[in-house]
Amino acid sequence: MASGCRDCGTCTKPGLARLLQNWSAGFLHLCSCGISLAIKRGAMRHCPQCKHLLSNHQRRQDGSFRD
C-alpha cells in the first residue's frame, strides 16, 4: 500500500519513527495551547500530495522535486 510521496522525509520514515514523531508533535502542540499548530498550518507551505511540510521534501539542484 503506497501512501504519501517518495520525496518526503516524513513519508519515507519507518512506522515507529513516524508514530513517535506524531506523538511528540501532538504533545508540543498541546503544551503550546495550539499556537504552534496554528503557525504550522497557516504560515508554512505544505505538499499538495501528502500534506507534509515542503521543507522536508528532497529537491534537485534546480529546485524541482526529485520524483
Side-chain angles (χ1 to χ4, degrees):
M1 178 174 111
S3 64
C5 59
R6 61 183 173 185
D7 294 330
C8 181
T10 304
C11 291
T12 57
K13 283 184 182 177
L16 182 60
R18 276 190 314 216
L19 179 69
L20 293 174
Q21 181 182 10
N22 289 340
W23 280 358
S24 62
F27 178 72
L28 292 175
H29 292 318
L30 184 65
C31 289
S32 69
C33 300
I35 295 171
S36 61
L37 181 64
I39 291 172
K40 179 184 179 284
R41 298 284 179 180
M44 297 178 159
R45 297 186 63 197
H46 293 81
C47 174
Q49 184 177 357
C50 68
K51 307 293 187 233
H52 292 126
L53 293 175
L54 277 177
S55 61
N56 293 338
H57 287 65
Q58 295 178 0
R59 296 179 185 249
R60 292 190 188 108
Q61 292 288 354
D62 63 357
S64 63
F65 289 111
R66 201 162 276 229
D67 280 335

Short mmCIF file of all heavy atoms in Angstrom, two decimals:
data_model
loop_
_atom_site.label_atom_id
_atom_site.label_comp_id
_atom_site.label_asym_id
_atom_site.label_seq_id
_atom_site.Cartn_x
_atom_site.Cartn_y
_atom_site.Cartn_z
N MET A 1 0.85 -1.17 0.00
CA MET A 1 0.00 0.00 0.00
C MET A 1 0.89 1.24 0.00
O MET A 1 1.66 1.47 0.91
CB MET A 1 -0.88 -0.03 1.24
CG MET A 1 -1.77 1.17 1.36
SD MET A 1 -2.88 0.96 2.73
CE MET A 1 -2.24 2.20 3.82
N ALA A 2 0.78 2.03 -1.02
CA ALA A 2 1.59 3.24 -1.12
C ALA A 2 0.78 4.44 -0.65
O ALA A 2 -0.32 4.68 -1.10
CB ALA A 2 2.03 3.45 -2.56
N SER A 3 1.34 5.16 0.29
CA SER A 3 0.68 6.38 0.74
C SER A 3 1.74 7.45 0.89
O SER A 3 2.89 7.17 1.23
CB SER A 3 -0.03 6.16 2.08
OG SER A 3 0.91 5.85 3.07
N GLY A 4 1.38 8.68 0.63
CA GLY A 4 2.35 9.76 0.71
C GLY A 4 3.14 9.87 -0.58
O GLY A 4 2.75 9.36 -1.62
N CYS A 5 4.26 10.52 -0.50
CA CYS A 5 5.10 10.68 -1.68
C CYS A 5 6.52 10.25 -1.37
O CYS A 5 6.95 10.27 -0.23
CB CYS A 5 5.03 12.11 -2.21
SG CYS A 5 5.55 13.38 -1.06
N ARG A 6 7.26 9.88 -2.37
CA ARG A 6 8.59 9.32 -2.17
C ARG A 6 9.66 10.37 -1.93
O ARG A 6 10.78 10.04 -1.56
CB ARG A 6 8.97 8.44 -3.34
CG ARG A 6 9.02 9.17 -4.64
CD ARG A 6 9.32 8.23 -5.76
NE ARG A 6 9.19 8.95 -7.02
CZ ARG A 6 9.31 8.39 -8.18
NH1 ARG A 6 9.54 7.10 -8.25
NH2 ARG A 6 9.18 9.09 -9.28
N ASP A 7 9.36 11.64 -2.15
CA ASP A 7 10.32 12.71 -1.90
C ASP A 7 10.28 13.22 -0.47
O ASP A 7 11.13 13.98 -0.05
CB ASP A 7 10.07 13.90 -2.83
CG ASP A 7 10.34 13.57 -4.28
OD1 ASP A 7 11.20 12.71 -4.53
OD2 ASP A 7 9.70 14.17 -5.14
N CYS A 8 9.27 12.83 0.27
CA CYS A 8 9.04 13.36 1.62
C CYS A 8 9.81 12.56 2.65
O CYS A 8 9.73 11.33 2.69
CB CYS A 8 7.55 13.31 1.92
SG CYS A 8 7.11 13.95 3.53
N GLY A 9 10.56 13.26 3.49
CA GLY A 9 11.30 12.60 4.55
C GLY A 9 10.39 11.96 5.58
O GLY A 9 10.69 10.91 6.15
N THR A 10 9.24 12.56 5.83
CA THR A 10 8.29 12.02 6.81
C THR A 10 7.61 10.78 6.26
O THR A 10 7.43 9.80 6.98
CB THR A 10 7.24 13.08 7.17
OG1 THR A 10 7.92 14.25 7.64
CG2 THR A 10 6.31 12.59 8.26
N CYS A 11 7.21 10.79 5.00
CA CYS A 11 6.51 9.64 4.40
C CYS A 11 7.42 8.42 4.27
O CYS A 11 6.94 7.29 4.29
CB CYS A 11 5.97 10.00 3.03
SG CYS A 11 4.62 11.17 3.04
N THR A 12 8.71 8.63 4.13
CA THR A 12 9.62 7.50 3.93
C THR A 12 10.25 6.98 5.22
O THR A 12 11.03 6.04 5.17
CB THR A 12 10.75 7.90 2.96
OG1 THR A 12 11.43 9.04 3.47
CG2 THR A 12 10.20 8.22 1.59
N LYS A 13 9.89 7.55 6.36
CA LYS A 13 10.39 7.04 7.64
C LYS A 13 9.69 5.72 7.98
O LYS A 13 8.57 5.48 7.54
CB LYS A 13 10.07 8.03 8.77
CG LYS A 13 10.97 9.22 8.81
CD LYS A 13 10.63 10.08 10.01
CE LYS A 13 11.49 11.30 10.02
NZ LYS A 13 11.16 12.20 11.12
N PRO A 14 10.33 4.88 8.80
CA PRO A 14 9.66 3.67 9.28
C PRO A 14 8.45 4.03 10.14
O PRO A 14 8.36 5.14 10.68
CB PRO A 14 10.73 2.98 10.12
CG PRO A 14 12.02 3.60 9.74
CD PRO A 14 11.71 4.96 9.22
N GLY A 15 7.53 3.11 10.28
CA GLY A 15 6.28 3.35 11.00
C GLY A 15 6.47 3.79 12.45
O GLY A 15 5.79 4.69 12.93
N LEU A 16 7.40 3.15 13.15
CA LEU A 16 7.63 3.51 14.56
C LEU A 16 8.18 4.93 14.68
O LEU A 16 7.78 5.68 15.57
CB LEU A 16 8.59 2.51 15.21
CG LEU A 16 8.87 2.73 16.69
CD1 LEU A 16 7.59 2.64 17.50
CD2 LEU A 16 9.89 1.72 17.18
N ALA A 17 9.06 5.32 13.77
CA ALA A 17 9.61 6.67 13.80
C ALA A 17 8.52 7.71 13.54
O ALA A 17 8.48 8.76 14.18
CB ALA A 17 10.73 6.81 12.77
N ARG A 18 7.62 7.41 12.60
CA ARG A 18 6.51 8.34 12.33
C ARG A 18 5.57 8.43 13.52
O ARG A 18 5.08 9.50 13.86
CB ARG A 18 5.73 7.89 11.10
CG ARG A 18 6.33 8.35 9.82
CD ARG A 18 5.39 8.09 8.69
NE ARG A 18 4.86 6.73 8.80
CZ ARG A 18 4.60 5.94 7.80
NH1 ARG A 18 4.77 6.35 6.59
NH2 ARG A 18 4.15 4.73 7.98
N LEU A 19 5.32 7.30 14.18
CA LEU A 19 4.46 7.28 15.35
C LEU A 19 5.04 8.15 16.47
O LEU A 19 4.33 8.97 17.06
CB LEU A 19 4.26 5.85 15.85
CG LEU A 19 3.39 5.68 17.09
CD1 LEU A 19 1.95 6.01 16.76
CD2 LEU A 19 3.51 4.27 17.61
N LEU A 20 6.33 7.99 16.74
CA LEU A 20 6.97 8.80 17.78
C LEU A 20 7.00 10.28 17.40
O LEU A 20 6.81 11.14 18.25
CB LEU A 20 8.38 8.28 18.04
CG LEU A 20 8.47 6.90 18.67
CD1 LEU A 20 9.91 6.43 18.74
CD2 LEU A 20 7.82 6.88 20.03
N GLN A 21 7.22 10.56 16.12
CA GLN A 21 7.21 11.95 15.67
C GLN A 21 5.81 12.56 15.82
O GLN A 21 5.68 13.70 16.28
CB GLN A 21 7.64 12.03 14.21
CG GLN A 21 7.68 13.44 13.68
CD GLN A 21 8.06 13.50 12.21
OE1 GLN A 21 8.11 12.48 11.53
NE2 GLN A 21 8.33 14.68 11.72
N ASN A 22 4.77 11.82 15.48
CA ASN A 22 3.41 12.33 15.62
C ASN A 22 3.05 12.56 17.08
O ASN A 22 2.41 13.56 17.42
CB ASN A 22 2.42 11.36 14.98
CG ASN A 22 2.50 11.36 13.48
OD1 ASN A 22 3.01 12.30 12.87
ND2 ASN A 22 2.02 10.30 12.86
N TRP A 23 3.44 11.64 17.96
CA TRP A 23 3.15 11.81 19.39
C TRP A 23 3.87 13.02 19.97
O TRP A 23 3.28 13.79 20.72
CB TRP A 23 3.55 10.57 20.16
CG TRP A 23 2.55 9.45 20.08
CD1 TRP A 23 1.35 9.46 19.42
CD2 TRP A 23 2.69 8.17 20.66
NE1 TRP A 23 0.74 8.26 19.56
CE2 TRP A 23 1.54 7.43 20.32
CE3 TRP A 23 3.67 7.56 21.41
CZ2 TRP A 23 1.35 6.13 20.73
CZ3 TRP A 23 3.48 6.25 21.82
CH2 TRP A 23 2.33 5.55 21.48
N SER A 24 5.13 13.18 19.61
CA SER A 24 5.88 14.32 20.16
C SER A 24 5.34 15.63 19.61
O SER A 24 5.24 16.62 20.34
CB SER A 24 7.37 14.17 19.89
OG SER A 24 7.62 14.15 18.51
N ALA A 25 5.00 15.68 18.33
CA ALA A 25 4.43 16.90 17.76
C ALA A 25 3.08 17.22 18.40
O ALA A 25 2.80 18.38 18.72
CB ALA A 25 4.28 16.77 16.25
N GLY A 26 2.26 16.21 18.60
CA GLY A 26 0.98 16.43 19.26
C GLY A 26 1.13 16.94 20.68
O GLY A 26 0.40 17.83 21.12
N PHE A 27 2.09 16.39 21.40
CA PHE A 27 2.35 16.84 22.77
C PHE A 27 2.80 18.29 22.79
O PHE A 27 2.36 19.08 23.62
CB PHE A 27 3.39 15.93 23.43
CG PHE A 27 3.75 16.34 24.81
CD1 PHE A 27 2.86 16.16 25.85
CD2 PHE A 27 4.98 16.93 25.09
CE1 PHE A 27 3.18 16.54 27.14
CE2 PHE A 27 5.31 17.32 26.36
CZ PHE A 27 4.41 17.12 27.40
N LEU A 28 3.69 18.65 21.87
CA LEU A 28 4.18 20.04 21.82
C LEU A 28 3.07 21.01 21.40
O LEU A 28 3.00 22.13 21.91
CB LEU A 28 5.37 20.14 20.88
CG LEU A 28 6.63 19.43 21.38
CD1 LEU A 28 7.72 19.48 20.33
CD2 LEU A 28 7.11 20.03 22.68
N HIS A 29 2.19 20.59 20.49
CA HIS A 29 1.05 21.44 20.13
C HIS A 29 0.13 21.62 21.33
O HIS A 29 -0.40 22.72 21.55
CB HIS A 29 0.27 20.83 18.97
CG HIS A 29 1.00 20.82 17.67
ND1 HIS A 29 1.75 21.88 17.20
CD2 HIS A 29 1.07 19.88 16.70
CE1 HIS A 29 2.25 21.57 16.03
NE2 HIS A 29 1.86 20.36 15.70
N LEU A 30 -0.05 20.57 22.10
CA LEU A 30 -0.88 20.65 23.30
C LEU A 30 -0.26 21.58 24.34
O LEU A 30 -0.95 22.39 24.96
CB LEU A 30 -1.08 19.25 23.88
CG LEU A 30 -2.00 19.12 25.07
CD1 LEU A 30 -3.42 19.49 24.69
CD2 LEU A 30 -1.96 17.70 25.60
N CYS A 31 1.07 21.47 24.52
CA CYS A 31 1.76 22.32 25.50
C CYS A 31 1.73 23.80 25.13
O CYS A 31 1.74 24.65 26.00
CB CYS A 31 3.21 21.87 25.66
SG CYS A 31 3.37 20.30 26.52
N SER A 32 1.71 24.09 23.85
CA SER A 32 1.70 25.50 23.43
C SER A 32 0.28 26.02 23.20
O SER A 32 0.11 27.08 22.61
CB SER A 32 2.52 25.67 22.15
OG SER A 32 1.87 25.04 21.07
N CYS A 33 -0.70 25.28 23.68
CA CYS A 33 -2.12 25.66 23.56
C CYS A 33 -2.56 25.84 22.11
O CYS A 33 -3.41 26.68 21.80
CB CYS A 33 -2.42 26.92 24.36
SG CYS A 33 -2.07 26.76 26.10
N GLY A 34 -1.95 25.11 21.20
CA GLY A 34 -2.34 25.14 19.79
C GLY A 34 -1.72 26.26 18.97
O GLY A 34 -1.97 26.35 17.77
N ILE A 35 -0.90 27.10 19.60
CA ILE A 35 -0.28 28.20 18.86
C ILE A 35 0.68 27.67 17.80
O ILE A 35 0.69 28.15 16.67
CB ILE A 35 0.43 29.17 19.83
CG1 ILE A 35 -0.60 29.83 20.73
CG2 ILE A 35 1.24 30.20 19.07
CD1 ILE A 35 -0.01 30.63 21.86
N SER A 36 1.47 26.66 18.16
CA SER A 36 2.42 26.09 17.19
C SER A 36 1.69 25.43 16.03
O SER A 36 2.14 25.50 14.89
CB SER A 36 3.35 25.10 17.87
OG SER A 36 2.61 24.02 18.43
N LEU A 37 0.54 24.82 16.29
CA LEU A 37 -0.24 24.20 15.23
C LEU A 37 -0.80 25.27 14.29
O LEU A 37 -0.78 25.11 13.06
CB LEU A 37 -1.39 23.38 15.81
CG LEU A 37 -2.27 22.65 14.80
CD1 LEU A 37 -1.46 21.62 14.03
CD2 LEU A 37 -3.43 21.99 15.50
N ALA A 38 -1.27 26.37 14.84
CA ALA A 38 -1.80 27.46 14.02
C ALA A 38 -0.71 28.06 13.14
O ALA A 38 -0.94 28.36 11.97
CB ALA A 38 -2.42 28.53 14.91
N ILE A 39 0.49 28.21 13.70
CA ILE A 39 1.61 28.74 12.91
C ILE A 39 2.00 27.75 11.82
O ILE A 39 2.22 28.13 10.67
CB ILE A 39 2.80 29.06 13.83
CG1 ILE A 39 2.47 30.26 14.71
CG2 ILE A 39 4.06 29.33 13.02
CD1 ILE A 39 3.48 30.55 15.78
N LYS A 40 2.05 26.47 12.16
CA LYS A 40 2.44 25.44 11.19
C LYS A 40 1.43 25.38 10.05
O LYS A 40 1.79 25.31 8.89
CB LYS A 40 2.52 24.08 11.87
CG LYS A 40 2.88 22.95 10.92
CD LYS A 40 2.86 21.62 11.64
CE LYS A 40 3.18 20.49 10.73
NZ LYS A 40 2.08 20.12 9.85
N ARG A 41 0.15 25.41 10.37
CA ARG A 41 -0.89 25.31 9.34
C ARG A 41 -1.03 26.59 8.52
O ARG A 41 -1.31 26.54 7.34
CB ARG A 41 -2.24 24.99 9.97
CG ARG A 41 -2.31 23.70 10.69
CD ARG A 41 -2.39 22.56 9.75
NE ARG A 41 -2.42 21.32 10.53
CZ ARG A 41 -2.49 20.14 10.01
NH1 ARG A 41 -2.53 20.01 8.71
NH2 ARG A 41 -2.49 19.08 10.77
N GLY A 42 -0.83 27.74 9.16
CA GLY A 42 -1.10 28.99 8.48
C GLY A 42 0.08 29.64 7.79
O GLY A 42 -0.08 30.33 6.79
N ALA A 43 1.29 29.41 8.29
CA ALA A 43 2.44 30.16 7.78
C ALA A 43 3.43 29.33 6.98
O ALA A 43 4.31 29.89 6.34
CB ALA A 43 3.17 30.82 8.94
N MET A 44 3.31 28.01 7.01
CA MET A 44 4.28 27.17 6.31
C MET A 44 3.64 26.49 5.11
O MET A 44 2.45 26.19 5.12
CB MET A 44 4.84 26.12 7.28
CG MET A 44 5.60 26.72 8.42
SD MET A 44 6.16 25.43 9.52
CE MET A 44 7.46 26.26 10.35
N ARG A 45 4.46 26.25 4.09
CA ARG A 45 3.96 25.63 2.87
C ARG A 45 3.93 24.11 3.02
O ARG A 45 4.83 23.51 3.58
CB ARG A 45 4.85 26.01 1.70
CG ARG A 45 4.79 27.53 1.47
CD ARG A 45 5.54 27.91 0.26
NE ARG A 45 4.90 27.29 -0.91
CZ ARG A 45 5.47 27.16 -2.08
NH1 ARG A 45 6.67 27.60 -2.28
NH2 ARG A 45 4.84 26.59 -3.07
N HIS A 46 2.87 23.49 2.47
CA HIS A 46 2.67 22.05 2.57
C HIS A 46 2.58 21.42 1.18
O HIS A 46 2.20 22.06 0.21
CB HIS A 46 1.38 21.75 3.34
CG HIS A 46 1.45 22.12 4.77
ND1 HIS A 46 1.25 23.41 5.21
CD2 HIS A 46 1.72 21.39 5.87
CE1 HIS A 46 1.38 23.45 6.51
NE2 HIS A 46 1.67 22.24 6.94
N CYS A 47 2.93 20.16 1.11
CA CYS A 47 2.86 19.38 -0.13
C CYS A 47 1.39 19.12 -0.46
O CYS A 47 0.62 18.70 0.40
CB CYS A 47 3.60 18.06 0.06
SG CYS A 47 3.47 16.92 -1.32
N PRO A 48 0.97 19.33 -1.71
CA PRO A 48 -0.42 19.07 -2.07
C PRO A 48 -0.76 17.58 -2.09
O PRO A 48 -1.92 17.21 -1.96
CB PRO A 48 -0.56 19.68 -3.46
CG PRO A 48 0.82 19.79 -3.98
CD PRO A 48 1.72 19.90 -2.81
N GLN A 49 0.25 16.72 -2.19
CA GLN A 49 0.00 15.29 -2.28
C GLN A 49 -0.11 14.64 -0.90
O GLN A 49 -1.06 13.93 -0.63
CB GLN A 49 1.11 14.61 -3.07
CG GLN A 49 0.89 13.14 -3.28
CD GLN A 49 1.99 12.53 -4.13
OE1 GLN A 49 2.88 13.23 -4.58
NE2 GLN A 49 1.91 11.24 -4.32
N CYS A 50 0.87 14.89 -0.02
CA CYS A 50 0.88 14.20 1.27
C CYS A 50 0.56 15.11 2.45
O CYS A 50 0.43 14.64 3.58
CB CYS A 50 2.23 13.54 1.49
SG CYS A 50 3.61 14.69 1.72
N LYS A 51 0.48 16.41 2.23
CA LYS A 51 0.15 17.41 3.25
C LYS A 51 1.23 17.60 4.31
O LYS A 51 0.98 18.21 5.34
CB LYS A 51 -1.18 17.10 3.94
CG LYS A 51 -2.34 16.89 3.01
CD LYS A 51 -2.72 18.14 2.30
CE LYS A 51 -4.00 17.93 1.51
NZ LYS A 51 -3.94 18.29 0.14
N HIS A 52 2.45 17.10 4.09
CA HIS A 52 3.55 17.36 5.00
C HIS A 52 4.27 18.64 4.56
O HIS A 52 4.03 19.15 3.47
CB HIS A 52 4.53 16.18 5.01
CG HIS A 52 3.96 14.95 5.63
ND1 HIS A 52 3.95 13.74 4.99
CD2 HIS A 52 3.38 14.75 6.84
CE1 HIS A 52 3.39 12.85 5.78
NE2 HIS A 52 3.03 13.44 6.91
N LEU A 53 5.16 19.15 5.40
CA LEU A 53 5.89 20.37 5.10
C LEU A 53 6.78 20.20 3.87
O LEU A 53 7.44 19.17 3.71
CB LEU A 53 6.75 20.79 6.28
CG LEU A 53 6.00 21.23 7.53
CD1 LEU A 53 6.99 21.50 8.65
CD2 LEU A 53 5.17 22.45 7.25
N LEU A 54 6.80 21.20 3.01
CA LEU A 54 7.64 21.14 1.82
C LEU A 54 9.12 21.18 2.16
O LEU A 54 9.95 20.71 1.38
CB LEU A 54 7.30 22.28 0.86
CG LEU A 54 6.11 22.03 -0.06
CD1 LEU A 54 5.84 23.26 -0.90
CD2 LEU A 54 6.36 20.84 -0.95
N SER A 55 9.47 21.72 3.31
CA SER A 55 10.89 21.77 3.69
C SER A 55 11.46 20.38 3.95
O SER A 55 12.67 20.20 3.94
CB SER A 55 11.07 22.65 4.92
OG SER A 55 10.34 22.12 6.02
N ASN A 56 10.61 19.39 4.18
CA ASN A 56 11.06 18.01 4.41
C ASN A 56 11.20 17.22 3.11
O ASN A 56 11.52 16.03 3.15
CB ASN A 56 10.09 17.27 5.32
CG ASN A 56 10.10 17.82 6.72
OD1 ASN A 56 11.05 18.46 7.14
ND2 ASN A 56 9.03 17.60 7.44
N HIS A 57 10.93 17.83 1.97
CA HIS A 57 10.99 17.14 0.69
C HIS A 57 12.35 17.34 0.03
O HIS A 57 12.91 18.43 0.08
CB HIS A 57 9.88 17.65 -0.24
CG HIS A 57 8.52 17.18 0.16
ND1 HIS A 57 7.93 17.55 1.33
CD2 HIS A 57 7.64 16.37 -0.47
CE1 HIS A 57 6.74 16.99 1.42
NE2 HIS A 57 6.54 16.26 0.34
N GLN A 58 12.83 16.28 -0.62
CA GLN A 58 14.11 16.35 -1.31
C GLN A 58 13.92 17.07 -2.64
O GLN A 58 12.92 16.90 -3.32
CB GLN A 58 14.66 14.95 -1.58
CG GLN A 58 14.99 14.21 -0.32
CD GLN A 58 15.48 12.81 -0.63
OE1 GLN A 58 15.57 12.41 -1.77
NE2 GLN A 58 15.80 12.07 0.42
N ARG A 59 14.90 17.88 -3.00
CA ARG A 59 14.85 18.64 -4.25
C ARG A 59 16.16 18.48 -5.01
O ARG A 59 17.19 18.17 -4.44
CB ARG A 59 14.60 20.11 -3.98
CG ARG A 59 13.26 20.37 -3.35
CD ARG A 59 13.10 21.85 -3.10
NE ARG A 59 11.87 22.12 -2.38
CZ ARG A 59 10.83 22.73 -2.92
NH1 ARG A 59 10.87 23.13 -4.15
NH2 ARG A 59 9.75 22.93 -2.20
N ARG A 60 16.10 18.73 -6.31
CA ARG A 60 17.30 18.74 -7.14
C ARG A 60 17.99 20.08 -7.01
O ARG A 60 17.51 20.99 -6.35
CB ARG A 60 16.92 18.51 -8.61
CG ARG A 60 16.39 17.15 -8.87
CD ARG A 60 16.26 16.95 -10.38
NE ARG A 60 15.56 15.72 -10.65
CZ ARG A 60 14.33 15.64 -11.12
NH1 ARG A 60 13.65 16.72 -11.41
NH2 ARG A 60 13.77 14.47 -11.31
N GLN A 61 19.15 20.23 -7.67
CA GLN A 61 19.90 21.48 -7.64
C GLN A 61 19.09 22.65 -8.21
O GLN A 61 19.23 23.78 -7.75
CB GLN A 61 21.20 21.34 -8.44
CG GLN A 61 22.20 20.41 -7.82
CD GLN A 61 22.85 20.99 -6.58
OE1 GLN A 61 22.65 22.13 -6.22
NE2 GLN A 61 23.68 20.17 -5.94
N ASP A 62 18.24 22.40 -9.21
CA ASP A 62 17.47 23.47 -9.83
C ASP A 62 16.21 23.83 -9.05
O ASP A 62 15.47 24.73 -9.43
CB ASP A 62 17.11 23.12 -11.27
CG ASP A 62 16.21 21.89 -11.39
OD1 ASP A 62 15.90 21.28 -10.37
OD2 ASP A 62 15.82 21.58 -12.53
N GLY A 63 15.92 23.11 -7.96
CA GLY A 63 14.77 23.42 -7.12
C GLY A 63 13.55 22.56 -7.39
O GLY A 63 12.58 22.63 -6.66
N SER A 64 13.57 21.75 -8.44
CA SER A 64 12.42 20.89 -8.72
C SER A 64 12.46 19.66 -7.81
O SER A 64 13.49 19.32 -7.25
CB SER A 64 12.44 20.45 -10.19
OG SER A 64 13.59 19.67 -10.46
N PHE A 65 11.32 19.02 -7.67
CA PHE A 65 11.25 17.84 -6.82
C PHE A 65 11.97 16.68 -7.48
O PHE A 65 12.04 16.57 -8.69
CB PHE A 65 9.79 17.46 -6.53
CG PHE A 65 9.13 18.44 -5.60
CD1 PHE A 65 8.13 19.26 -6.07
CD2 PHE A 65 9.53 18.55 -4.29
CE1 PHE A 65 7.52 20.17 -5.24
CE2 PHE A 65 8.93 19.45 -3.45
CZ PHE A 65 7.92 20.26 -3.92
N ARG A 66 12.48 15.79 -6.65
CA ARG A 66 13.33 14.71 -7.11
C ARG A 66 12.58 13.68 -7.95
O ARG A 66 13.14 13.12 -8.87
CB ARG A 66 13.99 14.02 -5.94
CG ARG A 66 15.23 13.28 -6.35
CD ARG A 66 16.05 13.01 -5.17
NE ARG A 66 16.88 14.17 -4.88
CZ ARG A 66 18.15 14.10 -4.66
NH1 ARG A 66 18.75 12.95 -4.69
NH2 ARG A 66 18.84 15.18 -4.40
N ASP A 67 11.33 13.43 -7.69
CA ASP A 67 10.50 12.44 -8.41
C ASP A 67 11.34 11.63 -9.31
O ASP A 67 11.18 10.79 -9.97
CB ASP A 67 9.39 13.12 -9.18
CG ASP A 67 8.25 13.48 -8.27
OD1 ASP A 67 8.06 12.85 -7.24
OD2 ASP A 67 7.54 14.40 -8.64
#
